[in-house]
Amino acid sequence: MSGGAAKEWFFPTGDDQYKIRCAMRVTAYYGADPHQIADVLDGIFTAGDRDSFAGAPGGTIPFNHDYYRRHLVAYYRGHGPNPTGPNTPEPAQVFDPSQTLSWDTVRSSQKKPVEEHDLCVRSDPPVTRCLHEPASKTVADIRKQYGAVFKLEISVANYYQVSKNGKVTQTWK
């Protein structure tokens, strides 16, 4: 069985090599007290330190207390300058190829809130399945309840693939 001749999304000149490809993208929003941004960041980086220390392959929490992030926590605690340099916008993001963590600015007079992006316009099983939990909660609701919002985006991850010749090429367990 060779499957269809569907074109790849990013390389439309070549045939897709897979009969089935399942991928997941996750975006999670969390609330925090705007006066506790340093503590939240410090907690995330500490978890990343433990994850790195444990030798987890690929690091499930890629953020740790590297030079920049130590200075970022100090900045939010009021114990140091902006780690991106003088006269630069308030930092509100750390990223790794696998994950991006963003948060509402709280120190700058020009507020830059995390925005809610509805990348999944509609659910269309079995091709696309969108899940918003809880369905009634919005980023504005989280901000109203807690004061500030953190957004964690986990990059697209392929978790199950079947090539056109029927070979399973990647699975998560």
Side-chain angles (χ1 to χ4, degrees):
M1 182 186 308
S2 65
K7 301 292 183 186
E8 293 181 280
W9 285 6
F10 294 114
F11 303 104
T13 58
D15 284 342
D16 192 346
Q17 298 301 307
Y18 300 97
K19 187 182 336 181
I20 299 171
R21 185 181 330 197
C22 301
M24 183 180 339
R25 166 182 279 160
V26 176
T27 302
Y29 298 92
Y30 302 92
D33 181 327
H35 299 92
Q36 300 299 318
I37 298 293
D39 292 336
V40 173
L41 289 171
D42 192 33
I44 292 167
F45 301 155
T46 298
D49 292 340
R50 284 192 303 268
D51 190 38
S52 297
F53 182 73
T60 54
I61 304 172
F63 310 119
N64 55 29
H65 283 97
D66 64 13
Y67 178 85
Y68 173 79
R69 294 175 188 136
R70 277 193 313 272
H71 287 85
L72 181 65
V73 171
Y75 167 75
Y76 273 102
R77 287 205 166 117
H79 299 155
N82 183 334
T84 57
N87 303 316
T88 59
E90 176 182 349
Q93 182 182 80
V94 292
F95 63 92
D96 174 88
S98 66
Q99 298 177 32
T100 301
L101 179 68
S102 308
W103 57 91
D104 291 346
T105 56
V106 295
R107 294 193 61 184
S108 172
S109 61
Q110 296 178 337
K111 302 296 182 200
K112 183 180 174 193
V114 165
E115 295 179 13
E116 183 170 21
H117 297 285
D118 190 8
L119 297 176
C120 195
V121 178
R122 65 183 179 94
S123 201
D124 184 20
V127 176
T128 303
R129 180 172 179 246
C130 299
L131 186 61
H132 183 137
E133 292 182 335
S136 62
K137 197 77 147 180
T138 66
V139 169
D141 294 334
I142 295 168
R143 188 172 291 110
K144 184 176 179 180
Q145 181 177 354
Y146 294 97
V149 174
F150 277 82
K151 176 170 83 171
L152 178 63
E153 297 171 278
I154 300 175
S155 300
V156 173
N158 291 319
Y159 63 90
Y160 186 78
Q161 297 176 347
V162 178
S163 66
K164 287 187 178 178
N165 68 5
K167 181 180 175 189
V168 176
T169 58
Q170 184 174 10
T171 61
W172 277 356
K173 296 181 182 186

